[in-house]
Amino acid sequence: MAYYVDRNIKMTWWERLYIPEIIRGMIITSRHFFKNLFGFIPFFLGKKKEREIFTIYYPEETREYPVAYRGRPVLALNEEGRPNCVACGLCEIACPAYCIDIDPGANSGKQNEVERFPVEFTIDYAVCIFCGFCEEACPEEAIFMSNDCDISMLDRKKMKYNMEQLLMPVSELKDRIDFCRKMYGKWNY
């Protein structure tokens, strides 16, 4: 059903000035300002008051991020101590920022050997836009968006992570893996 806006409504002169809305916004802003100002000063109330407005004093305080949060991409390290990645390159192709670089290794053709594996896997977080396309494109459940967002550095060269820095055990990614299977399972599986 389409909704149509009637643009022929005539506003009064007072409504066109937006003065009532500006005054209402200033009242709300002032109320929040003074509530926070006097709420943290103990001698106004005789005791320390709990916070009225939700503010996190980062990095002293941190919060728990939701499962759907897209932090930095990491590689899943399975129980055998190897990455799940088979160096197919789909995450590298799906990345709109071109920040993923994979150097695939070839197996020797032995029977019990892993199919393929990455010799080098790097992600440049200075370029990454944290879109999650790499996670969606991966058929092996090897790359996931973690809840880690502390990657700020002063040197851009240090923001290029290699495979050792990207590896994270599957046990730490359990909630995200379950979320991805539920979310992307509608289309992929």
Side-chain angles (χ1 to χ4, degrees):
M1 177 176 200
Y3 294 98
Y4 296 99
V5 177
D6 186 10
R7 302 204 184 268
N8 296 326
I9 294 176
K10 298 292 182 196
M11 295 174 70
T12 64
W13 179 79
W14 182 252
E15 290 173 334
R16 283 186 292 190
L17 287 178
Y18 297 108
I19 290 177
E21 296 304 318
I22 292 171
I23 292 171
R24 189 177 305 149
M26 292 301 292
I27 290 170
I28 292 171
T29 303
S30 300
R31 184 174 57 226
H32 285 290
F33 174 75
F34 288 112
K35 190 182 286 187
N36 281 327
L37 177 68
F38 297 123
F40 287 114
I41 301 174
F43 61 85
F44 277 107
L45 299 172
K47 61 178 177 145
K48 185 168 171 83
K49 185 179 174 186
E50 292 296 321
R51 283 188 257 178
E52 294 285 333
I53 304 298
F54 186 71
T55 304
I56 295 177
Y57 296 103
Y58 185 82
E60 291 84 18
E61 296 178 13
T62 57
R63 66 177 298 230
E64 188 68 30
Y65 294 104
V67 179
Y69 177 75
R70 292 191 309 233
R72 70 180 184 95
V74 294
L75 285 175
L77 185 69
N78 60 21
E79 291 82 13
E80 298 162 0
R82 293 188 307 226
N84 288 342
C85 182
V86 293
C88 64
L90 290 176
C91 59
E92 187 176 14
I93 294 168
C95 181
Y98 304 110
C99 64
I100 300 174
D101 187 33
I102 303 172
D103 184 20
N107 59 3
S108 60
K110 294 180 184 173
Q111 226 174 13
N112 294 334
E113 193 173 26
V114 179
E115 305 165 353
R116 286 177 62 183
F117 59 93
V119 174
E120 189 61 38
F121 193 107
T122 58
I123 297 179
D124 190 358
Y125 289 126
V127 179
C128 183
I129 59 173
F130 305 98
C131 62
F133 289 169
C134 54
E135 180 183 57
E136 291 181 34
C138 184
E140 296 292 326
E141 292 186 341
I143 188 166
F144 290 98
M145 305 301 282
S146 68
N147 60 357
D148 183 18
C149 60
D150 298 327
I151 56 171
S152 58
M153 297 174 193
L154 296 175
D155 188 10
R156 291 177 65 99
K157 293 175 185 167
K158 291 181 183 176
M159 293 185 79
K160 194 166 191 174
Y161 280 41
N162 60 15
M163 191 157 63
E164 287 76 27
Q165 294 169 311
L166 292 170
L167 291 174
M168 186 177 280
V170 174
S171 58
E172 293 181 27
L173 297 168
K174 183 76 172 120
D175 293 337
R176 183 64 186 193
I177 292 171
D178 292 340
F179 171 77
C180 290
R181 285 179 181 163
K182 180 181 164 192
M183 189 68 185
Y184 305 134
K186 301 172 190 172
W187 303 287
N188 295 342
Y189 302 108

